Amino acid sequence: MSNEKNFYLSERPDLVRRGRLAGRDPDRYRLCAAGYGIGMGAAIFTGEYDIAVIMVKAGLGIAALVILVFSTVTTTFLDAWSAGISAESLSAKLNGKKTAIAVTVIGTAAAILFPMDDITGFLYLIGSVFAPMIAVQIADNFILHRDRFAAAADARNLVIWLVGFIAYRLLMGVDTPVGYTLPDMVLTVVLCLLAEKAKPTKQM
């Protein structure tokens, strides 16, 4: 079931990027969060991350077929758009729309040239990237209340994220009752707290 958790964990940055299009309306953010929660709950309950497969298991075959057709188009569009938005965040010189088109072309070519039957390794990879990253964000924003918005990069957080990434890869070889995503996130949060205690941040 770790694959399903990793898949929805990897969708969290997309949730944030898509939510930004909602403007300042809190109801739209709540709707996005609710949809994310329902999807993750269904994935954990059924052991699947494909919404079409989930609906087939629920006895909604025709509806699943319709969703499969439309979700393939809409989800891919949103993923490409998210890539464009992310590119703009990295550099103001990059054009979001052009980047999205380039990502679409590259993705299509990759799907044609490389086997897509088993992406388990990729799901583990993005899980190992996003789990410690999100843990750092949780510690910084909700526990330590560190304001690093003005900083181009936070070297301490980058080091902690790297440690969390390595720890995740190592934990993949350990069998625990709760998997390895949660232990890795807890470890990363603890590292953030210890680092702040050892060297308190001077607010900018």
Side-chain angles (χ1 to χ4, degrees):
M1 199 169 292
S2 295
N3 287 352
E4 292 73 39
K5 292 178 181 178
N6 289 342
F7 177 79
Y8 278 92
L9 179 63
S10 71
E11 289 294 301
R12 180 189 175 275
D14 282 343
L15 176 68
V16 175
R17 286 191 289 266
R18 295 166 190 174
R20 71 190 284 274
L21 300 177
R24 295 183 179 275
D25 188 347
D27 290 335
R28 295 184 182 181
Y29 280 99
R30 293 189 188 103
L31 184 61
C32 288
Y36 177 85
I38 292 171
M40 185 169 186
I44 294 174
F45 181 76
T46 62
E48 300 286 349
Y49 57 83
D50 189 328
I51 185 62
V53 177
I54 292 173
M55 295 192 70
V56 168
K57 286 189 174 183
L60 302 172
I62 297 178
L65 179 61
V66 174
I67 287 178
L68 179 63
V69 173
F70 284 100
S71 67
T72 301
V73 176
T74 56
T75 302
T76 304
F77 165 77
L78 290 172
D79 287 339
W81 179 253
S82 294
I85 297 300
S86 297
E88 289 182 343
S89 300
L90 293 173
S91 174
K93 297 180 180 179
L94 295 174
N95 183 283
K97 291 182 180 179
K98 292 180 180 179
T99 302
I101 293 172
V103 168
T104 301
V105 173
I106 294 172
T108 302
I112 295 173
L113 298 174
F114 300 103
M116 295 291 172
D117 296 332
D118 185 6
I119 59 171
T120 303
F122 177 70
L123 292 177
Y124 284 138
L125 175 62
I126 58 179
S128 61
V129 171
F130 287 121
M133 181 191 72
I134 294 168
V136 169
Q137 292 176 344
I138 291 173
D140 254 19
N141 290 285
F142 299 107
I143 301 177
L144 300 175
H145 304 291
R146 295 177 73 226
D147 184 4
R148 306 297 292 165
F149 185 79
D154 191 308
R156 187 174 83 183
N157 281 349
L158 287 173
V159 172
I160 293 174
W161 169 82
L162 180 60
V163 173
F165 174 84
I166 296 172
Y168 190 103
R169 307 303 294 184
L170 295 175
L171 285 170
M172 287 175 60
V174 180
D175 186 17
T176 69
V178 294
Y180 30 81
T181 298
L182 182 59
D184 181 75
M185 293 183 69
V186 171
L187 171 64
T188 305
V189 169
V190 170
L191 288 176
C192 288
L193 298 180
L194 292 176
E196 179 66 17
K197 186 175 182 180
K199 188 177 180 181
T201 302
K202 294 181 180 179
Q203 295 298 331
M204 301 179 68

